[in-house]
Amino acid sequence: MMQIESQLSQLRLHGMSRSWQALTETRRQHELTLSEGLELLLQAEEQERTNNRFERLRKSARFRYQASVEELNLDASRGMDKGLITALATGEYLSKGESVLITGATGCGKSFLASALGHQACAQGYKVAWYNLQKLLLKTKISRIEGTIFKFFESLAKTDLLILDDFGLTHLEQQQQLDLMEMIEDRHSKSSTIIASQLPVANWYDVIGEETIADAILDRIVHTSYRIELKGESLRKKR
């Protein structure tokens, strides 16, 4: 028994090792056939690796909130379409490179919803990155000074789901417009983007500023995206 545990540990089969230990402690290993025991151990190892991958993806994403789809209050009066949320939870929009636009007043749950969809994507094995838009644009500015801007853009382009929170808090400067255009262009029809904003989509044109760039950005994200317009008073007040 000790030799089996030692070999499982050496091979880094931690899920199988824990399952085997549980079987021996409860003396259940003698009740199972070889195929039954092997199936149980393999399932434990598969679950272990799935959980570990999810944790790596979750930590790498740096979500604003630790949220899940199960925690969402799917109240139709708040603009939550249960059918749409259920469809998004399947992750099909990610495989198609489609985007989601979430709008609503301060505190109505935009960031929580975006984080919940992001967590769901991680659970499905997708690489996710969450950013406050202003901080992201500041990071691009620093990357340009350091000479790593192309590497940074490549990293963003390889992210399966990019979540841009707090879009539209301030008007974009010229270089910020170009940087945002670069990000959206790299992802168009390839990878998904979730944008959360206090402003209605109709006002985004003015926030971006320059007409040509605004047209290019909005043309790539507005017409083929899912829309969620949250309503109601701030959830923070209720707490």
Side-chain angles (χ1 to χ4, degrees):
M1 296 297 181
M2 293 297 295
Q3 184 179 0
I4 292 176
E5 289 184 20
S6 176
Q7 288 180 316
L8 289 174
S9 179
Q10 289 176 11
L11 292 171
R12 298 182 179 180
L13 299 172
H14 302 302
M16 294 181 73
S17 179
R18 273 192 281 274
S19 183
W20 175 256
Q21 185 178 10
L23 288 173
T24 56
E25 288 175 348
T26 57
R27 300 183 181 181
R28 284 193 58 224
Q29 77 273 24
H30 301 301
E31 301 174 6
L32 303 173
T33 64
L34 177 59
S35 59
E36 289 173 339
L38 184 57
E39 182 180 7
L40 190 66
L41 294 175
L42 289 172
Q43 287 176 346
E45 184 62 30
E46 182 180 23
Q47 187 61 52
E48 173 82 4
R49 296 190 181 194
T50 297
N51 292 343
N52 288 343
R53 176 170 174 76
F54 169 72
E55 283 301 312
R56 289 196 301 271
L57 291 171
R58 182 186 65 80
K59 290 179 180 178
S60 175
R62 299 182 179 180
F63 293 110
R64 182 171 182 176
Y65 296 108
Q66 300 306 314
S68 68
V69 172
E70 291 75 18
E71 294 177 90
L72 295 174
N73 178 10
L74 302 179
D75 186 348
S77 67
R78 299 190 64 83
M80 294 288 272
D81 183 333
K82 186 175 181 180
L84 176 56
I85 299 301
T86 300
L88 293 175
T90 67
E92 187 176 355
Y93 76 103
L94 294 164
S95 63
K96 294 180 179 180
E98 297 172 330
S99 297
V100 182
L101 310 181
I102 306 173
T103 57
T106 301
C108 67
K110 301 182 301 296
S111 298
F112 191 88
L113 173 56
S115 295
L117 292 175
H119 275 82
Q120 183 73 1
C122 287
Q124 294 164 337
Y126 291 100
K127 184 179 180 182
V128 182
W130 180 94
Y131 284 100
N132 168 283
L133 180 61
Q134 293 305 311
K135 291 182 179 179
L136 174 60
L137 294 175
L138 177 59
K139 191 166 184 176
T140 61
K141 183 177 182 179
I142 295 173
S143 296
R144 182 169 285 102
I145 294 172
E146 294 176 343
T148 59
I149 187 64
F150 294 111
K151 184 177 180 180
F152 181 57
F153 277 146
E154 286 180 2
S155 175
L156 287 178
K158 292 178 181 177
T159 301
D160 300 308
L161 174 60
L162 177 63
I163 300 176
L164 301 178
D165 201 7
D166 291 329
F167 175 86
L169 291 184
T170 61
H171 287 76
L172 302 183
E173 299 174 0
Q174 184 178 23
Q175 187 59 59
Q176 292 176 327
Q177 296 169 6
L178 295 172
D179 287 344
L180 181 59
M181 176 63 208
E182 183 82 15
M183 297 174 204
I184 298 301
E185 174 62 28
D186 286 344
R187 308 184 63 74
H188 181 53
S189 298
K190 301 174 186 176
S191 305
S192 297
T193 306
I194 294 179
I195 301 178
S197 175
Q198 297 178 24
L199 298 177
V201 175
N203 293 10
W204 290 10
Y205 191 97
D206 295 331
V207 170
I208 296 171
E210 206 282 324
E211 291 185 7
T212 305
I213 297 176
D215 281 336
I217 292 175
L218 295 178
D219 183 63
R220 286 162 175 75
I221 61 175
V222 171
H223 303 301
T224 58
S225 61
Y226 296 95
R227 302 273 194 99
I228 301 175
E229 299 179 14
L230 297 182
K231 306 171 185 176
E233 63 180 7
S234 174
L235 297 177
R236 295 169 190 163
K237 293 180 182 178
K238 293 185 177 182
R239 295 193 189 101

